[in-house]
Structures are given as structure tokens and as C-alpha cells.
Amino acid sequence: MLRHSAAMASPLISVTSKEINGLTAVLGRMERVNQRAATRHERMGMNNQAKNVVSRKTGKLITGNDTSSYFDLANLDYQWTDQLSTSYSFGRLKDIYKQHVVNAVHAWPLGEKRSLKTDIRVSRSTRDGDARVDNKAFSGMLTYGFGFNKLGLGYRSMTGKTGYAYVL
């Protein structure tokens, strides 16, 4: 769901449920990350590559120094059939941003060792507290599989006043 940098999260508290046939639900909270070049666990921040993300309090650009005490996540995956699955994910970096992501994947078998797969994703990132986060992302991928080969055609569109938000 939400992209994560090359960091190890700790502690991560999560609960996964598969009580309903075809449905997987996950709830979790991360409180610290251990970045690749770090020797200790630190508070999390938002990527500072997202352009134009401004703090409402200070009016200055958000940097890697703007951190949060936790990141909450929730995810629902549902396998409707062998060919169709959908998911909804929500994430919130406390006082910085929140994000909703919806995904649908459908695969059509076209005969022996051939298939056509569609993958559609839509996300919306908004502020949660001081940061002015505003991003909408849409992407789609059509993949034709034949034998051990795959040929894909993809499209991505980003709109809004800021870049795509993700946890550092």
C-alpha cells in the first residue's frame, strides 16, 4: 500500500485477520524506523522529495526534520474469484498526512500459457495536521502474458499541489 523507504520498522504492532473467506484484514502501528545508514531507531517523517509540502504552522517546506510519533495503517484485501481481487488501504502519519489507496486486479486466462491482466490503482493523499499535502494518483497497467514472457503497457497520472507522500 504505502511505499516505505529502505528502513526497518520497529516496533511494529499489527493484527491480521482471515476470519472471512477471501478477506484479509490488517491493522497496524509503527512507532520508529531504523534507516539504512542509522544505528538506532528514530521517529518517522515524510519523504522530503514531495514538492511543495508546506507546514501550516511555520509556512516553511517540510523537511526530513519534521517527524511524527507513529504511523497507523489499515488494509482490506478481498479475493472475489481466482481472477479478480480488490483492496483498500489507509495510512496516517500522525500530524503530517493521511492516504487512501484503492486497487483492483483482474486476470483473464486466454488459453494455454496466455493471459491478459489489468491492474488499476487510485490514491488520495491529504494533510493530517500541519503539513499541506494534496496529491491524487491514478495508474493502470495492461499486461499480456505468453509463455514465460510478458508485455505490458502502463499509464500514470499525478495531480494536486504536492508530490506523492510516503513514509521515510
Side-chain angles (χ1 to χ4, degrees):
M1 169 248 166
L2 295 169
R3 206 168 103 189
H4 195 282
S5 67
M8 295 299 293
S10 179
L12 169 63
I13 302 163
S14 69
V15 175
T16 301
S17 171
K18 295 184 179 184
E19 295 296 315
I20 298 171
N21 190 33
L23 178 67
T24 302
V26 178
L27 295 173
R29 174 174 279 187
M30 275 191 299
E31 296 178 345
R32 302 272 183 204
V33 293
N34 186 346
Q35 300 291 345
R36 199 177 348 193
T39 58
R40 61 186 166 85
H41 290 89
E42 302 168 339
R43 289 170 52 106
M44 291 166 288
M46 186 178 71
N47 67 310
N48 55 4
Q49 305 301 316
K51 66 178 185 173
N52 303 326
V53 179
V54 175
S55 169
R56 290 183 347 162
K57 278 184 183 173
T58 65
K60 296 180 181 177
L61 289 174
I62 297 287
T63 68
N65 297 328
D66 297 294
T67 61
S68 178
S69 56
Y70 60 84
F71 177 76
D72 286 330
L73 60 103
N75 188 68
L76 295 172
D77 287 312
Y78 193 75
Q79 188 76 37
W80 298 89
T81 66
D82 288 342
Q83 292 85 28
L84 176 64
S85 66
T86 56
S87 66
Y88 167 76
S89 301
F90 173 78
R92 175 178 174 245
L93 186 58
K94 183 182 181 277
D95 295 330
I96 298 182
Y97 81 94
K98 56 189 169 189
Q99 186 174 68
H100 302 268
V101 179
V102 177
N103 186 37
V105 177
H106 190 268
W108 287 282
L110 299 175
E112 190 175 328
K113 295 186 181 181
R114 294 184 314 138
S115 64
L116 189 62
K117 178 180 170 183
T118 57
D119 186 341
I120 306 291
R121 298 170 191 252
V122 178
S123 73
R124 176 75 173 121
S125 304
T126 57
R127 74 176 184 217
D128 182 67
D130 297 333
R132 291 183 185 156
V133 176
D134 174 34
N135 180 272
K136 295 176 199 140
F138 171 82
S139 64
M141 182 91 179
L142 183 65
T143 306
Y144 176 67
F146 49 100
F148 295 105
N149 302 297
K150 293 189 192 282
L151 179 63
L153 178 64
Y155 173 80
R156 176 178 291 167
S157 172
M158 296 253 187
T159 59
K161 297 176 183 168
T162 64
Y164 192 78
Y166 59 91
V167 175
L168 281 179

